[in-house]
Each structure stands twice: as C-alpha cells, then as structure tokens.
C-alpha cells in the first residue's frame, strides 16, 4: 500500500527538456518522500526507482528496490539520506558519468564519489511525512561542478518550484545555518511557550494567533522593523519580573541572552 | 484626517447587552488604535471619547480630547498606554464607581485607582499601526474584581472576539511571559537569519517559505513533536560546523544555548 498525502501543486511548467528525464531517488526519509510526491505528477519526468534500505509503504512497490545490485540506469540520481550516509551511498552507485546530487544543507558535493558528475539539489524547507507541502514556492538551491550540470538541475527544479537559485557552497552552508535559527530554534521557543502555558493550566492554542501574526508580519516588514517587547523598549522592570517568574534555568538563560542580543543588535 | 486601515471583521455578535454601552479609550498607541477600530463598527457600542496626550490622526477629531478636564462620563474606560503610565493616568480620571480596565500583560489591576471598579482587558497579540488585524480570533483575557464586572467585560470582549478567556493575574503574567518567547524572541531569531543571509548576498526572502511552514506546522503538531534539526538529532558534526561559521559572539552563544536547551528538554 502506498501512503497518500494530498499534494498541492500548481506550478507553471515553463521549461521542458523536450524529452523524458529519468531520475531515481535514493533514500526513504521526509525529503525523499516529498521529492517523490512532487516529481510523480510531472509528465516529463520518469521516476525509475526508489532505493530504500528498509521496507516502507511511502512509495509504489514497483519502483522500490532494497539492494544496489537491483539499481538500473537513470539520468540523475538524487541522494536524499542523512548527512553521514551520503558518501558511502554514493560509492555504491554502480555507474559512471551520471549526474548524482545530494539534498543536504551543509555537506560538500565533494563527498559524492567523483566517478560521477556531482551536484546539490537542496530544498530549503522543513518536511514532515504527515504534512502536505506546496513545493511551488520552496526555494531549491542548486550547485554543480559545471554550467551544463547546473542548467540541467535548474531545469529539473523548475518543474516543481518557481523559486530556484544557483548558489555557492558557502552560501548554501549559510542558508542551512540561518534555517537552524528561523526554523529549529524558533520551534524550540514555541515549545518553551507551550511549557509555560501548560504548567499554568493554559492551553498552548491560546498562543496560536500571536505566533501566526508574528510570522505573518515579516512578510511585510523586515524583522529589524518588526521587533517589539520589553527588550527593545529597554523595560527593565518587566525583564526583571519575567526572569523572577521563570523556573527553568535554561529558560532564564535564554531569556537573558536573547534580551541582551536584541538590545545589542539594535546598537549596531 | 483619520488614518484608514482595512479592518477584517466577521465575528458573529452572539451576545448583546440589550442597550448601548458607552466606552472611552485612553491612549493613542497601537493597542488603543486597534481597539478603537474593532469597536467602531459595533452598533451596540458607543465610543464616547479617545484621550490622547499628543496630536494624532488615528482617531476622528470629534472624539479626541487632549485634557482630562474634557473627559465626560462613560460606562467603561479602557486605559491602553505604556505600563508605567497606567497608574498615573488612572488617578486622573475624575469619576468614581466606573469600570476602569487596562490592557497590559504584566501589570496588576491594583495599579488602577481604587475609587473605581478595576479590571483587565488584555488582547494577546502583537499590534502594528500599519498592519490590519482580524480581532475575531485574538484571545482577549479578562480579569475583574467581581463576577459582575467580569461578566460585563466578557460581553464587551465577545463583541469583537470569539476567543475570550477569564483568567487569573498569575495566568496573565505567564501568558505575557510566553508571548515574549513565541513573539519577541522568535522575531529576533528571524532577524539573525536575515543578518546571516544578507551578509552572504542572499535575500532574506529566501527564508520566508521555511518560516511560514515552521509556524504553520504547529497548528497541527505540538512543538515538542515538530522539533527538527541538528540539535535534536544530536548531530555534533553539523553543530560544530555551524559554530565555526558564526562570526558574532552573541549568535554563537545563542546557538550553543538553544542547542543545549533542545537536547535538555528532550531528556525531561
């Protein structure tokens, strides 16, 4: 049985290869799953195989392989596995002169075995298997060793996204770093908010309109202009009150450090 | 001239007083402005006056007063000024036995002069003058000294919001504290993301789909379930790489502390 997630997909396909392009996806995680879902609907793309070490119901059975000995040729192999597994997996691909890309934010394309052409196909997004996603606006960051490969990867990306960028390795690393701040760390602050609410018999949901408005606001205002709260007002009375109310040492330290940083960045 | 901001307003008005309720708003900041805009459209509410110390074009001229000697009677006076000004302003109200409320997150209602009935009417949201807002879903947190006043304030709040809560002072303080984490601190993390992007010739906009998806995700998943990234994976290689890439000491310290806190909260 194949897992079903509704796909919102309405990109205009402006560029075509003029022929069918054959891709295979190596990996069975969130990125592999969402890339599969996005490419599966494109007429000009044939998904040849999906390699998964373990059993999975995320992909159609007729595409799934579990051994590299079953891997057949394709034009592009997309390695969508954890950072540490990329190098070893690329060594196992039994072909040469194909285009092999990984999807990681902070791994050099040089980790891919050099017997093939190498590139990066990095979708800058957070993926969960149980949440559908509109690929159309997801920035896809492309890196390649030569212009020809970059052009091919941009074309491939344009089938599923209108937000495609060719960037350098350094830029990709910095994007990944920024993503940790605006996604992973932001989610942790949501979690702290939830913990404070829930330990005071308040549902986390009461914070939702504020959370949604905070992210909505920066669609129109640069975050430097959108900053509010006791830190930017230098409201020491409220800051002290808040610090006295925080039970967790971690939360106290985070409050102090972020308050200091807000006040500091404003002096720049 | 009165400033115009489009008001999105579609609350069902389920409860009516059965008579006109007269309110006056004291203050000319963001909260005063948005409360005025929300109440102005309600047939059952008459906005008697708006007190503003300074000249302002945010309110109709015929409602504006600049001196307390011009203040006339109303049923409810809403003090929407900065925390430090609440007490002094409440002392200047030349009436007794009216219902006076403030709109602050962490100020006791006891700061309001006791010659009047006292309450809190705290909208849990971040307001900007140049961004319209749908009041309908904004949690309005009510506090009063007796049940009669609480009932009146809940009814008043229900005219503009479907998300009204009667809470204790302690709960309100904790909500305000949570709000600092999920709004003010989150915005600062957006700002850090912007700084990292912009110093690497990348537009901040490239982070927008990730930011929007991160806040969207927790509408469906509790933040404890939505956590992703190197910290929760205990991916020390990426953590070290990121720390080496951060130029700002503040950003390094924030990265370390939030990583530690993500790993710590998971042990709980």
């Amino acid at each position: 049985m194949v897992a079903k997630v509704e796909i919102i997909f309405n990109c205009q396909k402006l560029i075509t290869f003029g022929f069918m392009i054959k891709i295979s996806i190596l990996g069975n995680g969130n990125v592999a799953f969402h890339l599969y879902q996005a490419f599966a609907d494109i007429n000009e793309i044939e998904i040849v195989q999906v390699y998964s070490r373990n059993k999975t119901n995320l992909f159609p059975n007729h595409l799934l392989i579990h051994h590299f000995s079953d891997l057949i040729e394709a034009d592009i192999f997309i390695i969508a596995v954890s950072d540490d597994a990329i190098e070893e997996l690329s060594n196992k691909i039994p072909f040469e002169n194909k285009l092999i890309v990984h999807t990681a934010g902070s791994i050099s394309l040089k980790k891919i075995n050099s017997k093939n052409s190498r590139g990066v196909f990095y979708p800058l997004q957070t993926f969960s298997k149980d949440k559908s996603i509109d690929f159309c606006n997801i920035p896809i960051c492309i890196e390649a060793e030569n212009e020809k490969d970059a052009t091919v990867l941009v074309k491939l990306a344009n089938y599923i996204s209108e937000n495609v960028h060719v960037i350098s390795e350094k830029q990709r690393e910095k994007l990944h770093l920024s993503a940790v701040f605006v996604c992973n760390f932001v989610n942790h602050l949501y979690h702290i908010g939830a913990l404070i609410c829930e330990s005071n018999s308040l549902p986390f949901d009461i914070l939702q309109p504020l959370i949604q408005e905070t992210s909505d606001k920066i669609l129109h205002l640069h975050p430097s202009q959108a900053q509010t709260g006791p830190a930017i007002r230098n409201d020491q009375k409220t800051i002290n009150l808040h610090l006295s109310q925080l039970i967790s040492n971690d939360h106290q330290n985070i409050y102090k450090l972020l308050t200091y940083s807000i006040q500091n960045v404003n002096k720049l």
Side-chain angles (χ1 to χ4, degrees), chain A:
Chain A
M1 204 190 77
V2 176
K4 271 269 190 194
V5 160
E6 186 204 359
I7 283 284
I8 312 148
F9 194 80
N10 53 6
C11 264
Q12 269 191 285
K13 281 132 224 141
L14 297 169
I15 298 160
T16 56
F17 281 90
F19 54 89
M20 183 71 89
I21 181 148
K22 295 177 172 186
I23 65 169
S24 283
I25 296 171
L26 314 181
N28 66 356
N30 292 336
V31 176
F33 174 65
H34 284 281
L35 281 178
Y36 165 76
Q37 293 258 351
F39 283 126
D41 281 349
I42 312 292
N43 283 335
E44 291 82 357
I45 292 173
E46 181 191 343
I47 302 175
V48 179
Q49 291 178 315
V50 177
Y51 165 80
S52 166
R53 203 173 41 183
N54 310 313
K55 282 198 175 176
T56 169
N57 66 352
L58 295 175
F59 310 95
N61 259 330
H62 72 279
L63 295 184
L64 264 180
I65 57 161
H66 302 294
H67 303 284
F68 273 89
S69 53
D70 295 330
L71 199 67
I72 60 175
E73 292 205 11
D75 301 313
I76 303 174
F77 292 84
I78 301 176
I79 301 179
V81 297
S82 64
D83 291 359
D84 284 340
I86 292 170
E87 186 169 6
E88 195 190 329
L89 204 144
S90 87
N91 292 338
K92 288 183 181 162
I93 297 174
F95 306 114
E96 286 180 25
N97 302 319
K98 301 294 175 191
L99 180 50
I100 319 281
V101 297
H102 72 60
T103 58
S106 56
I107 300 293
S108 165
L109 58 73
K110 296 210 160 36
K111 290 279 181 189
I112 298 169
N113 191 305
S114 63
K115 68 186 176 185
N116 285 293
S117 292
R118 303 178 289 190
V120 179
F121 193 93
Y122 172 49
L124 180 59
Q125 188 51 283
T126 173
F127 297 101
S128 313
K129 284 212 181 77
D130 47 3
K131 171 126 178 25
S132 66
I133 210 146
D134 181 0
F135 241 93
C136 204
N137 297 314
I138 295 178
I140 297 184
C141 302
I142 298 297
E143 214 180 304
E145 291 183 297
N146 58 61
E147 218 177 299
K148 185 179 139 270
D149 289 345
T151 306
V152 168
L153 292 173
V154 166
K155 284 184 178 175
L156 182 68
N158 272 329
Y159 277 111
I160 55 171
S161 170
E162 288 174 348
N163 195 351
V164 179
H165 305 261
V166 178
I167 61 174
S168 69
E169 179 173 309
K170 191 185 160 208
Q171 283 179 314
R172 176 168 49 90
E173 284 175 353
K174 293 300 170 65
L175 268 184
H176 187 241
L177 177 60
S178 306
V180 170
F181 281 89
V182 304
C183 169
N184 308 147
F185 290 168
V186 160
N187 184 75
H188 185 55
L189 297 184
Y190 296 158
H191 192 183
I192 294 174
L195 291 171
I196 297 172
C197 280
E198 287 155 7
S199 64
N200 288 280
S201 311
L202 292 160
F204 171 58
D205 272 358
I206 203 171
L207 295 177
Q208 288 286 8
L210 178 62
I211 287 173
Q212 302 308 319
E213 175 66 14
T214 303
S215 63
D216 197 44
K217 219 179 196 178
I218 54 150
L219 291 170
H220 316 281
L221 275 178
H222 192 271
S224 58
Q225 258 104 48
Q227 191 63 55
T228 55
I232 193 86
R233 288 198 309 271
N234 201 13
D235 175 357
Q236 202 56 50
K237 216 185 278 177
T238 303
I239 292 168
N240 291 341
L241 179 70
H242 282 170
L243 286 172
S244 74
Q245 287 167 345
L246 285 164
I247 303 155
S248 151
N249 270 345
D250 281 2
H251 300 175
Q252 266 194 357
N253 290 333
I254 291 168
Y255 192 104
K256 279 183 206 164
L257 185 55
L258 287 172
T259 293
Y260 175 80
S261 178
I262 289 170
Q263 295 178 340
N264 227 14
V265 82
N266 212 42
K267 284 185 207 142
L268 297 179

